Amino acid sequence: MTHQPDELFSAVDSLLAAVDGGTVLPAPTERVRLREAAGLTQAAIAQALGVRVPSITAWEAGRAEPKGERLEAYRRLLDGLAHRYPQPASPPDSNPGFPPSPPAPPASSRPGLAGTGPQTMPVDAKPGVMQRSGHAARPARTGTPLSRRPTGKAAGPASAEADDDLRFENGPLAVIDVDTDGQVLAYCVGGLVLDVPAKSIPALVDWTLKEAKLGQSKLSGPGKDADPLLVLTASALERYGLPAALTEDERLAGRIPEGHKVIKQLARAEWKLTKRGFGPWARIYRPAQGSERMCVQLCIPSWNALDTRHWGHAAQLPPAELARLLGTFASRVMTPRGSTAVTGLELMTAFHPPTRASEPGADGKRHSEHNPGSLGKDPVDCAPCEAPDGRPLLAGLPRLHVRGPAEKLFEEAYDWARPMTDAECTLRHLVGIDVNMAFAAGANGLVVGLGEPTQVKQPVFDPKLPGSWLVDLSHVDLSRVKVGKDKWADLDASLLPSPFTPKGERPEGPAWYATPTVAYAQELGYDVRPVEAWVRYDNGRYLDSWYNRLRDAYLATMADLGVGADLSPADFLAAMDGYRQRDPQLAIVVSAVKATVKGGLGKLRERPRGEGWKPGQPWRALSRPTWRPDIRAAVISRTRINLHRKLVKHAAFTGQYPVAILSDCVVYAADGESPLDFLPYRDGKPLPGGFKLGVNPGLVKHEGTQSVLWGEGVREQFNAPELNLARYIKDGTVTDQDTGE
């Protein structure tokens, strides 16, 4: 027999419990009737539940069922509609004694089928309990679910619902661990635990692809499904003959030696490794056959796969909790593909794959063609001014030549500070505010180049055309700027940074700038006359989907932590106070999402990473079509300009000026300890175009407060009148190393 009697009885009991508990959904035809009776579209329901329209279509056709929180939310919707639109009475000619079609059971209550995948079974309707063939039932380790439905107006992420795709019904990933009895277990999202029969790494890969039902649906039509991810704990490494930690040489190389016995096992089984070898994020594959991929990715936390700067203590979590944490990130962003930086870059490509299938030709066959809106499959050269030092494009320059602003595009975030005025020294506090997801907000709606740059001499500036412009902006005077239509403001320019340089210094002559920077000079009311430009006529809003995905992931997770998008300023500040302690694991997800933003943008201009590189030689990243320093420069330019625009609005309205700025953190002197003591709210409404408290990207939160005496004391101690206090405002800790002493 395929199933033991106890397993079958347990499955039946689980179904009966679902019926008794009222958790069984109406029949598919009734779901359609209720939606249509209410005049709702599938898109409206999909948006409310945070899923894609195909998921609603599958639910209404009975091909799939929602799970977890979405099951409860969908059932609540249907119950509410049934109350408002009850089933009409049967017509006279119908057979009243004909029984209605039985409702489809939830997908989570279906037992595994012999030969179709791992044998899992709900036991006594308790989540996370498994039954092994030949073993007694054993409860899996459980923990608090990470993914709770956000409240308020915080939007849930537009998720590619892996649960709704039966190929990936066990989720995007699993944590592989060995229990005290020596049994290898796979901890999946949602509390599911699977037996793993594999005795070696090649067998583990084979089991994953054939039986585990792990993976994640693609994020866009021409894209590819995410490969299953296996996270190996220390006990799993020992079981499969891998070291628990890398040696110093292996850590520097980023992999174990080619002669390791596990690599030989993979070679004998005809599995291949990518060029980065068997390291913290290993990819094991066989060449694809048609559209079918055969690839599994490994994540090894004890080899520092989960950088503590972004993933905190995730590597030390028990297997079930680690599965929930990574599963939450995967469902809201994507299955991790490496570091957060690598994942950020891969997310861009997932939304805009380089190629797509063409329409059928005369012979009825399709072929691969360029996908409009993508960066293509081949790398393109950047403009000379956009190239970082050491690029082969600059090999003709003299050996010790240092490029100045007229030769090199230098768009970076702010690192600026100034001495405090006498009036500011009479105030009691320094208050720091920080822009939420500042670089993500800078990418939102930004038009960037997609193809090669074109050189233009004496161009007429076009603010809608992405590119790099050589122009003199030294004449822009911040003491008088335009702050609205036909409205000018007089400011103290000595107390404001220049918007055109990262250090806030006024430019002294022609320099290269990205389009948003030059457009801002026009916005301030000044003429701009470029002498040269490298522009990209093939352009588009490449980062919009990327931004939307990360924004929704951030908002949904913050809502889970009690910080909603519809809070008043005072309630928002209260909700942010200690929000990380409410659920430390969810707080790690927030950190990882933010690191995915910054790291992904940084990867667009990745520099050489050792490997014996010498200036003038190409490095590995240059072979990627996603090596695009111009896109990174445009995002940073727009982010810095967005911040400066708020500084000007705030100064024009309040007469208050920043004391220090570091990237997206701004410090003001104030009499009180709260941002509400200097931000000009009226009846709960912020200054239009100024700083606004809130959780959404582009709005600000409280970064920290220190005393003015602390600030003056630190600067005096290190004899640095312009020490950037924004760097230390969070906790007030300054070290000799920080100041270069």
Side-chain angles (χ1 to χ4, degrees), residues 90-435:
S90 301
D93 58 346
S94 66
N95 181 0
F98 191 82
S101 300
S108 59
S109 67
R110 297 173 185 168
L113 300 178
T116 61
Q119 301 300 305
T120 63
M121 190 75 64
V123 179
D124 296 333
K126 294 179 182 178
V129 179
M130 66 182 179
Q131 178 77 30
R132 307 189 194 122
S133 176
H135 291 266
R138 176 187 306 245
R141 292 172 233 182
T142 59
T144 302
L146 277 178
S147 181
R148 297 191 297 270
R149 186 66 187 157
T151 57
K153 295 182 180 179
S159 171
E161 284 294 293
D163 327 300
D164 300 334
D165 190 331
L166 295 181
R167 297 174 302 158
F168 311 131
E169 63 179 342
N170 292 332
L173 55 89
V175 178
I176 308 299
D177 188 50
V178 181
D179 69 4
T180 54
D181 292 339
Q183 176 65 38
V184 182
L185 304 175
Y187 291 81
C188 306
V189 298
L192 177 68
V193 183
L194 308 177
D195 274 326
V196 180
K199 304 298 184 184
S200 66
I201 289 293
L204 178 64
V205 173
D206 197 58
W207 171 83
T208 302
L209 292 172
K210 292 180 179 178
E211 298 186 57
K213 294 189 176 181
L214 296 172
Q216 190 175 37
S217 299
K218 58 188 178 182
L219 292 174
S220 67
K224 298 175 181 177
D225 297 326
D227 299 319
L229 173 66
L230 299 181
V231 184
L232 303 185
T233 66
S235 62
L237 293 175
E238 182 181 0
R239 169 60 60 90
Y240 290 119
L242 291 165
L246 298 178
T247 65
E248 183 64 19
D249 289 342
E250 291 169 347
R251 187 186 63 80
L252 292 174
R255 67 189 75 185
I256 58 177
E258 294 294 326
H260 193 281
K261 64 178 182 180
V262 170
I263 296 181
K264 292 180 179 178
Q265 289 173 0
L266 290 168
R268 285 195 298 269
E270 299 183 343
W271 290 105
K272 298 179 180 294
L273 291 164
T274 57
K275 290 182 180 179
R276 60 183 174 185
F278 203 120
W281 290 93
R283 298 189 72 81
I284 303 172
Y285 73 98
R286 285 176 181 150
Q289 298 179 356
S291 61
E292 183 180 356
R293 288 170 59 84
M294 299 183 68
C295 182
V296 172
Q297 180 160 315
L298 303 184
C299 166
I300 306 179
S302 65
W303 294 5
N304 199 34
L306 301 175
D307 192 325
T308 54
R309 294 173 298 175
H310 310 138
W311 292 103
H313 64 281
Q316 280 72 52
L317 290 174
E321 295 181 26
L322 180 56
R324 292 186 181 94
L325 189 156
L326 294 176
T328 300
F329 180 88
S331 67
R332 294 181 174 180
V333 181
M334 71 180 304
T335 304
R337 297 289 302 272
S339 66
T340 50
V342 169
T343 301
L345 196 67
E346 290 288 342
L347 185 62
M348 298 179 195
T349 305
F351 280 114
H352 296 285
T355 60
R356 67 177 184 183
S358 69
E359 293 296 324
D363 57 358
K365 296 182 179 179
R366 299 175 183 267
H367 61 274
S368 176
E369 66 178 13
H370 173 70
N371 182 28
S374 75
L375 299 181
K377 62 179 181 179
D378 298 316
V380 298
D381 260 335
C382 60
C385 62
E386 298 163 351
D389 294 336
R391 180 82 160 81
L393 194 64
L394 307 174
L397 292 177
R399 182 165 174 253
L400 300 178
H401 178 73
V402 178
R403 295 188 294 162
E407 299 173 277
K408 179 180 179 180
L409 177 70
F410 192 63
E411 294 283 11
E412 297 294 340
Y414 270 130
D415 185 355
W416 170 87
R418 62 169 176 82
M420 283 186 277
T421 65
D422 292 342
E424 288 167 339
C425 287
T426 65
L427 303 176
R428 292 181 295 171
H429 300 287
L430 294 171
V431 184
I433 54 177
D434 181 79
V435 182

